[in-house]
Amino acid sequence: MLDAIKRWISGGPAGPDWSELSGWAQKQGHGFKRARDDEGFVIDGNFGGKPWRLEWGPPQRSYIGAHELRIRMELQLSSSLQMLLLTRALMEMLERETFERYTQSNQTMIDFSTPEEMRWLAMFPKATLDELPKEVRSRFAAVSSDSRNAGHWVGDPAFTQQLTQAAARLLRHDPPFVLMTLRGRLYLRLELALPEPLTIAQSLSLFEAAAQAAQRVRAVSAAGAGPAEPSSEFPNTGSTAWTDLGPDQPKR
């Protein structure tokens, strides 16, 4: 923020031109703000009246390159509903990194400074995705504290359709990509070098489908029954999963 004020006072070069993105966000009814020091931007919106936040800027994970897209939403899920979906390429890379980290250091336990993604891959069973389309089961993997929950989540028809489309478009070059439910929230992480209205819209469509599917898994888990009927409504809604980089938000 201070750097941006200094540039304004001194007549220095302006920050990145986000006019196309801000115009798109305004048309969609979303809020748009530049992040402090012009390191990125923040978009705030809602699905069914329930708020979400999207950020693009410097990465918060070592497995993501120069820039990261993050989306989060409070879903008021049970804290025991811990599900992780990621690309198979990223899963294999994180599994290798975790193995090397702990075998080389002779550690016998995973410490809590390790990101949840890496810990969960070591702790939780993998979900069976054999019944899903080839485009999904060959590109993605899922783990969960209860593998049946992850199977229901990824197997949700609307979510499966969005993943199929994403595999051919948004994720066609296999960038690092993660979706996870943690402490009642849904999180998305994606390596994204150039944010454009189309890629932002595709990311939000995928995230919305994942959120709706997670809500249905919550209903299934609570009832102890089979898959719930699709619904377009969202119920009312200290981790390494997210660090705000929005305007006037201090880094932690």
Side-chain angles (χ1 to χ4, degrees):
M1 181 65 72
L2 181 60
D3 290 343
I5 294 174
K6 288 179 178 178
R7 285 197 299 270
W8 177 74
I9 294 175
S10 64
D17 180 8
W18 301 124
S19 58
E20 185 180 10
L21 271 170
S22 62
W24 171 84
Q26 184 177 13
K27 288 180 180 178
Q28 304 303 313
H30 306 326
F32 181 94
K33 295 179 182 179
R34 290 175 177 269
R36 60 176 177 273
D37 298 333
D38 284 325
E39 290 188 323
F41 58 82
V42 177
I43 297 177
D44 290 302
N46 69 83
F47 297 142
K50 307 307 173 185
W52 49 258
R53 165 162 284 201
L54 178 151
E55 294 182 356
W56 181 86
Q60 296 179 355
R61 287 293 191 264
S62 61
Y63 57 79
I64 290 181
H67 293 91
E68 177 184 32
L69 177 74
R70 296 180 293 275
I71 314 176
R72 71 176 176 189
M73 184 178 187
E74 174 63 61
L75 292 177
Q76 294 188 343
L77 303 172
S78 167
S79 60
S80 63
L81 192 59
Q82 299 172 314
M83 304 182 294
L84 169 66
L85 173 77
L86 70 174
T87 57
R88 286 194 174 275
L90 178 59
M91 178 188 72
E92 293 168 0
M93 185 188 80
L94 293 180
E95 286 179 332
R96 287 195 302 270
E97 184 177 335
T98 303
F99 177 79
E100 292 170 359
R101 175 182 298 189
Y102 291 98
T103 54
Q104 291 176 4
S105 63
N106 294 320
Q107 287 183 247
T108 58
M109 296 182 64
I110 296 179
D111 65 74
F112 285 94
S113 65
T114 304
E116 286 88 355
E117 302 94 301
M118 298 177 73
R119 281 189 271 140
W120 289 9
L121 285 174
M123 294 166 52
F124 295 157
K126 292 182 174 64
T128 300
L129 307 180
D130 294 344
E131 301 300 318
L132 300 184
K134 181 180 179 181
E135 296 85 351
V136 174
R137 66 176 187 269
S138 65
R139 294 284 299 278
F140 302 99
V143 302
S144 174
S145 53
D146 184 333
S147 61
R148 295 171 299 178
N149 287 333
H152 287 155
W153 184 41
V154 184
D156 179 89
F159 188 23
T160 297
Q161 182 179 16
Q162 282 292 328
L163 286 171
T164 302
Q165 294 175 358
R169 299 187 300 185
L170 179 67
L171 307 176
R172 65 186 180 279
H173 298 306
D174 221 12
F177 165 78
V178 167
L179 270 166
M180 66 189 304
T181 59
L182 173 67
R183 295 188 175 94
R185 291 179 171 181
L186 175 67
Y187 297 89
L188 178 148
R189 292 183 182 277
L190 171 66
E191 182 176 291
L192 183 64
L194 298 174
E196 298 175 340
L198 178 60
T199 54
I200 297 298
Q202 290 175 350
S203 300
L204 284 171
S205 293
L206 178 58
F207 185 81
E208 181 178 17
Q212 291 178 334
Q215 294 285 57
R216 291 192 278 273
V217 171
R218 179 181 71 169
V220 170
S221 180
E229 291 299 319
S231 169
S232 60
E233 297 297 324
F234 282 96
N236 292 328
T237 68
S239 157
T240 67
W242 186 284
T243 301
D244 279 311
L245 290 179
D248 304 322
Q249 295 289 334
K251 290 184 179 180
R252 298 196 297 270

